[in-house]
């Protein structure tokens, strides 16, 4: 509560003083800094003196207004009540008058002491030079900074670690599988070792130029995205020396208090997801601590009128914004819809419900909104809470939103029925409006744009084959068989998109128009950037059906990557998969180590699978396999 004004505003006006002619040859229009400081100290002392003087005045009805305005806060007033000698009389101190009088006296003494202390401090300040005052201010600033750092290092509450997934098996019994797994491990070593030599600490690697690389999704800082992203793959493959190198870099160099604007979605799945996966696998506390520190830096992105987060946030200032190309300043479904798994785990690990509440608020808002044809548009304005352009896809801009709905249900031990219902409703609308069969018999997932189906499927949408299989168990009306078949059909289509190229690697997107099926038409869609989605679907299909063709298809992709994407300094994407002499894009994506190579390794498992209790293990948006909390 603020102190009541002692005088009305009109009574605070000070008439101008006539000081006569100036005593200096040159009149100054303003006061020096030291003069302003002295006047401020005198004014503060005067106000403190006036405030304290009220406590030394005798009690009187003239001051009752002030008593009721301030003393109610400090010393409660009590009504005499019906049993008193003078009912209806207002007692200033209540029945225990002596005790309250003592408390009031102590309060007055404290005010007097504070007043005298303020005067003494003012006298001491006047004796010091400007440089000494500045030095004291800087000392106080340094003290505050140190206290904030100490607060950040405060240990998180201890929680029991779930049964670690880890790598508990030996080599595969089959010699062919053992050789293939060792080859995948060697590819991981080649990618990691060259990053270690040429790009250490940078976000990604340019393997031909042999130097570090970054994109705007990571901002302008060197945050070691490849290190954090690859940790769980290193651990699962048994590359523990490399894992420890990454851990040391994170302990000594990973700093989120940088003036850098990052993608909330990308740093969530790559950094928070990577750190939490490394924590669950190794039990090392530093990974949990760093994950929480980063999550706190992302929270300001949710400060929008609707609670739908901005796409980008500055880690230092907390200022957020959306991509300039997004429809009408909208946030993107696949970005704000791909936070749930990591944020739920953060609340579980810290005991702080704020992360869970943020993502559940997003879900509640989406449930209330009307959806055209039952479909979720890819764009939602965080200011107005209205959909942007009516564009729906299961590929880019939409993909992992649906994946996270299903996995939220699985991660909850199938108790999050709300998430399962949202997933089932969405998949039914997608089947009705987006999934079609081409003239050649290939099942594909198109894109809905303003009431029109575009017969184009993106590489990113190829993950859906695995998603349909993963969601088969628990589907409505006992449709498990239907979704297993649908997943297999999507896998076949995506394999065809690989098989119909010169390099046996799939394009970024492919058409189904007339005679053209599963082939990219535009030059801008013919590139391959080491993406994992097709191999991920092969893995899910093999795990659920044990049909050997999916292992064979995965190995075909591995050989193609080894032949056409491997360079002396690592692995690079290619610009045209239809050219037998491809040009490299000179970027080794962090997700190549985090997802693509990991999925290949999973297709050649040890005698004891990396995730023995399969029904309790679920991969996040960066392909990481966790247990339910």
């Amino acid at each position: 509560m603020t102190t009541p004004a002692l005088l009305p505003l009109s009574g605070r006006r000070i008439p101008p003083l006539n000081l006569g002619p100036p005593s200096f040859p040159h009149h100054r229009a303003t006061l020096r800094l030291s003069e302003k400081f002295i006047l401020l100290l005198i004014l503060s002392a005067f106000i403190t003196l006036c405030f304290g003087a009220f406590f030394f005045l005798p009690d009187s009805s003239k001051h009752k207004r002030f008593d009721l305005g301030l003393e109610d806060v400090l010393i409660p007033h009590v009504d005499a009540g019906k049993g008193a000698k003078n009912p209806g009389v207002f007692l200033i101190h209540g029945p225990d008058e002596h005790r309250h009088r003592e408390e009031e006296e102590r309060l007055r003494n404290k005010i007097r002491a504070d007043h005298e202390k303020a005067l003494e401090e003012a006298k001491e300040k006047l004796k010091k030079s400007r440089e000494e005052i500045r030095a004291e201010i800087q000392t106080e600033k340094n003290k505050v900074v140190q206290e904030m750092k100490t607060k950040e290092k405060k240990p998180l509450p201890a929680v029991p670690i779930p049964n670690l997934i880890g790598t508990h098996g030996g080599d595969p019994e089959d010699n062919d599988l053992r050789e293939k797994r060792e080859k995948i491990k060697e590819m991981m070593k080649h990618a990691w070792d060259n990053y270690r030599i040429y790009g250490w600490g940078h976000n990604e690697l340019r393997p031909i130029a042999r130097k570090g690389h970054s994109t705007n999704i990571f901002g302008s800082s060197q945050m070691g995205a490849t290190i954090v992203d690859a940790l769980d793959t290193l651990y699962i493959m048994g590359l523990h020396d490399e894992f420890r190198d990454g851990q040391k870099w994170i302990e000594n160099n990973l700093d989120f208090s940088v003036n850098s604007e990052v993608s909330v979605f990308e740093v969530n799945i790559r950094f928070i997801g990577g750190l939490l996966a490394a924590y669950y696998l190794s039990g090392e506390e530093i990974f949990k601590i760093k994950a929480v520190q980063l999550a706190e830096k992302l929270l300001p992105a949710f400060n929008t009128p609707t609670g739908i987060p901005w796409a980008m946030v500055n880690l230092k200032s907390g200022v957020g914004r959306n991509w300039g190309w997004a429809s009408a300043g909208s946030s993107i479904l696949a970005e704000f819809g791909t936070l749930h798994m990591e944020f739920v785990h953060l609340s579980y690990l810290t005991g702080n419900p704020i992360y869970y509440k943020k993502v559940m608020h997003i879900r509640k808002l989406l449930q209330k909104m009307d959806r055209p044809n039952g479909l979720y548009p890819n764009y939602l304005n965080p200011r107005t809470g209205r959909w942007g352009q009516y564009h729906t896809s299961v590929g880019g801009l939409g993909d992992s939103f649906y994946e996270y709905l299903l996995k939220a249900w699985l991660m909850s031990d199938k108790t999050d029925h709300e998430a399962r219902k949202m997933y089932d409703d969405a998949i039914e609308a997608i089947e009705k409006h987006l999934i079609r069969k081409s003239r050649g018999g290939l099942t594909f997932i198109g894109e809905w744009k303003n009431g029109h189906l575009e017969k184009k499927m993106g590489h990113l949408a190829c993950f859906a084959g695995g998603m349909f299989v993963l969601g088969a168990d628990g589907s409505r009306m006992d449709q498990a068989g239907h979704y297993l078949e649908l997943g297999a059909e999507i896998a076949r289509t995506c394999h065809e998109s690989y098989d119909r190229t010169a390099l046996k690697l799939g394009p970024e997107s492919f058409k189904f128009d007339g005679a053209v099926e599963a082939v990219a038409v535009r030059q801008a869609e013919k590139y391959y950037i080491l993406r994992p989605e097709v191999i991920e679907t092969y893995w899910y299909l093999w795990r659920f059906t044990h049909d050997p063709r999916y292992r064979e298809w995965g190995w075909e992709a591995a050989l193609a990557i080894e032949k056409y994407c491997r360079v002396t300094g690592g692995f690079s994407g290619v610009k045209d998969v239809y050219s037998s002499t491809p040009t490299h894009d000179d970027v080794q994506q962090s997700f190549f180590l985090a997802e693509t190579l990991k999925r290949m390794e999973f297709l050649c498992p040890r005698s004891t699978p990396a995730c023995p209790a399969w029904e309790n293990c679920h991969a996040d948006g960066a392909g990481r396999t966790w247990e339910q909390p």
Side-chain angles (χ1 to χ4, degrees):
M1 179 181 291
T2 57
T3 305
L6 304 183
L7 292 172
L9 290 175
S10 59
R12 297 185 205 171
R13 295 172 185 159
I14 301 175
L17 298 178
N18 185 8
L19 300 178
S23 57
F24 299 98
H26 300 288
H27 177 68
R28 290 184 290 105
T30 60
L31 297 174
R32 292 192 181 94
L33 179 63
S34 59
E35 293 171 340
K36 292 180 180 179
F37 183 70
I38 293 171
L39 286 175
L40 180 62
L41 287 173
I42 295 172
L43 181 61
S44 300
F46 177 74
I47 292 174
T48 305
L49 181 63
C50 293
F51 178 75
F54 274 90
F55 288 90
F56 298 98
L57 295 176
D59 290 337
S60 165
S61 60
K62 296 178 182 179
H63 306 121
K64 189 171 182 179
R65 180 178 179 182
F66 171 75
D67 287 340
L68 296 177
L70 181 63
E71 284 199 10
D72 276 342
V73 179
L74 303 174
I75 306 172
H77 294 74
V78 182
D79 197 334
K82 295 182 180 179
K85 294 180 179 179
N86 300 307
V89 175
F90 190 80
L91 299 180
I92 298 298
H93 298 287
D96 194 354
E97 182 175 345
H98 178 69
R99 179 172 61 83
H100 287 298
R101 286 291 180 187
E102 289 180 348
E103 292 176 358
E104 184 176 340
E105 187 62 29
R106 281 196 296 270
L107 181 61
R108 288 173 175 168
N109 290 337
K110 184 179 183 305
I111 293 173
R112 187 187 300 111
D114 290 343
H115 169 64
E116 293 174 353
K117 181 179 178 182
L119 289 177
E120 289 298 323
E121 289 178 352
K123 291 178 182 178
E124 292 298 322
K125 291 286 184 185
L126 293 175
K127 295 177 183 178
K128 297 180 179 180
S129 65
R130 182 180 299 177
E131 289 71 20
E132 289 175 320
I133 294 174
R134 286 176 176 173
E136 286 186 1
I137 293 173
Q138 187 60 45
T139 300
E140 289 298 321
K141 286 183 178 180
N142 293 338
K143 184 178 178 182
V144 171
V145 171
Q146 190 61 37
E147 288 175 353
M148 291 177 67
K149 288 183 178 179
T150 303
K151 182 180 178 182
E152 287 182 354
K153 294 179 180 179
K154 183 179 178 182
L156 296 171
V159 297
I161 301 176
N163 294 328
L164 298 180
I165 297 168
T167 52
H168 305 298
D171 291 330
E173 296 176 0
D174 184 275
N175 288 333
D176 181 56
L177 279 180
R178 186 185 305 118
E179 291 176 3
K180 289 176 178 177
R181 188 169 68 85
E182 286 304 313
K183 180 57 185 176
I184 300 302
K185 185 175 180 179
E186 187 276 330
M187 292 170 69
M188 179 68 182
K189 278 277 292 176
H190 181 69
W192 175 266
D193 289 346
N194 279 282
Y195 170 77
R196 183 73 173 83
I197 296 169
Y198 303 115
W200 192 243
H202 289 267
N203 290 313
E204 292 175 322
L205 172 68
R206 295 187 65 184
I208 298 175
R210 299 187 184 184
K211 63 180 182 180
H213 169 75
S214 190
T215 63
N216 61 341
I217 60 175
F218 302 121
S220 56
S221 299
Q222 296 182 19
M223 297 173 63
T226 295
I227 298 174
V228 182
D229 218 0
L231 282 172
D232 58 336
T233 305
L234 293 170
Y235 195 96
I236 289 169
M237 289 187 177
L239 298 172
H240 295 300
D241 290 340
E242 290 80 358
F243 180 88
R244 282 188 287 270
D245 286 344
Q247 179 179 340
K248 289 177 184 176
W249 187 90
I250 288 170
E251 289 175 345
N252 299 325
N253 300 283
L254 187 55
D255 180 19
F256 301 121
S257 60
V258 291
N259 185 18
S260 186
E261 189 180 52
V262 300
S263 163
V264 175
F265 160 73
E266 294 288 355
V267 299
N268 175 64
I269 64 170
R270 302 196 200 203
F271 283 82
I272 294 181
L275 291 165
L276 291 179
Y279 170 67
Y280 280 131
L281 287 166
S282 70
E284 294 291 340
E285 196 77 7
I286 184 63
F287 299 126
K288 180 174 72 171
I289 291 171
K290 290 292 185 180
V292 175
Q293 288 177 354
L294 176 56
E296 289 177 348
K297 295 289 186 178
L298 298 185
L299 287 177
F302 292 82
N303 295 335
T304 65
T306 60
I308 297 295
W310 299 112
M312 309 282 286
V313 69
N314 187 294
L315 293 177
K316 187 172 185 178
S317 68
V319 175
R321 69 179 179 92
N322 276 339
W323 302 106
W325 50 262
S327 171
S330 293
S331 297
I332 297 168
L333 182 69
E335 295 192 342
F336 64 77
T338 309
L339 304 170
H340 191 96
M341 290 177 68
E342 292 84 357
F343 273 48
V344 168
H345 274 269
L346 286 167
S347 285
Y348 164 72
L349 289 171
T350 64
N352 186 350
I354 184 66
Y355 308 106
Y356 175 79
K357 289 180 178 178
K358 293 294 185 185
V359 291
M360 288 305 294
H361 175 78
I362 294 173
R363 181 189 290 183
K364 297 297 183 186
L365 188 146
L366 290 176
Q367 285 180 311
K368 295 176 182 178
M369 297 186 66
D370 291 330
R371 304 193 308 279
N373 298 312
L375 299 169
Y376 287 93
N378 291 334
Y379 299 104
L380 178 60
N381 192 303
R383 291 190 177 92
T384 65
R386 296 176 182 174
W387 298 118
Q389 179 188 3
Y390 281 2
H391 174 207
T392 297
S393 68
V394 182
L397 307 180
D399 49 5
S400 47
F401 165 70
Y402 307 102
E403 174 189 7
Y404 268 47
L405 288 176
L406 174 62
K407 291 175 179 177
W409 174 69
L410 290 167
M411 193 174 69
S412 71
D413 197 18
K414 302 181 181 179
T415 60
D416 188 350
H417 303 297
E418 186 177 68
R420 180 73 209 208
K421 182 181 184 304
M422 290 177 70
Y423 170 79
D424 287 335
D425 290 345
I427 296 307
E428 286 181 4
I430 287 168
E431 273 206 86
K432 182 177 180 180
H433 298 285
L434 304 187
I435 296 179
R436 295 290 185 271
K437 192 178 288 286
S438 71
R439 293 179 181 178
L442 295 178
T443 300
F444 67 95
I445 310 174
E447 298 187 10
W448 190 266
K449 289 187 176 180
N450 296 317
H452 171 72
L453 180 66
E454 185 176 3
K455 296 178 180 180
K456 179 181 76 171
M457 184 172 177
H459 192 291
L460 288 168
C462 284
F463 93 97
M467 180 180 71
F468 293 143
V469 171
L470 184 61
D473 183 30
S475 57
R476 289 174 179 168
M477 299 167 58
D478 194 24
Q479 290 185 295
H482 166 70
Y483 286 110
L484 282 170
E485 183 179 352
L486 179 59
E489 290 176 357
I490 296 297
R492 174 171 170 258
T493 298
C494 293
H495 177 258
E496 286 297 316
S497 76
Y498 273 52
D499 199 47
R500 298 180 185 189
T501 70
L503 306 185
K504 304 303 179 184
L505 292 171
E508 183 67 5
S509 61
F510 39 94
K511 297 272 190 175
F512 294 88
D513 287 336
V516 176
E517 292 194 0
V519 174
V521 176
R522 298 172 55 216
Q523 187 63 40
E525 298 172 341
K526 295 180 179 180
Y527 61 88
Y528 173 71
I529 57 172
L530 307 171
R531 288 200 185 277
E533 291 77 21
V534 173
I535 298 170
E536 178 179 338
T537 279
Y538 295 163
W539 173 55
Y540 276 116
L541 265 295
W542 178 79
R543 289 301 299 260
F544 278 88
T545 68
H546 289 277
D547 187 329
R549 83 175 77 178
Y550 301 114
R551 269 184 168 168
E552 294 169 5
W553 291 353
W555 185 242
E556 287 173 5
L559 291 177
I561 290 172
E562 172 73 6
K563 183 176 181 179
Y564 296 108
C565 299
R566 183 170 182 144
V567 295
T568 304
F571 288 87
S572 168
V574 293
K575 296 181 178 180
D576 187 349
V577 293
Y578 299 98
S579 170
S580 58
T581 56
T583 303
H584 293 99
D585 65 12
D586 196 18
V587 178
Q588 180 176 280
Q589 306 279 351
S590 76
F591 56 68
F592 176 65
L593 292 81
E595 303 182 58
T596 310
L597 289 172
K598 184 194 303 166
R599 291 295 182 239
M600 291 178 181
E601 205 268 355
F602 280 178
L603 280 168
C604 307
R606 295 165 173 79
S607 54
T608 301
C611 189
W614 168 242
E615 66 276 6
N616 289 332
C617 300
H618 318 295
D620 70 356
R624 288 176 237 290
T625 307
W626 299 347
E627 287 190 295
Q628 63 200 32

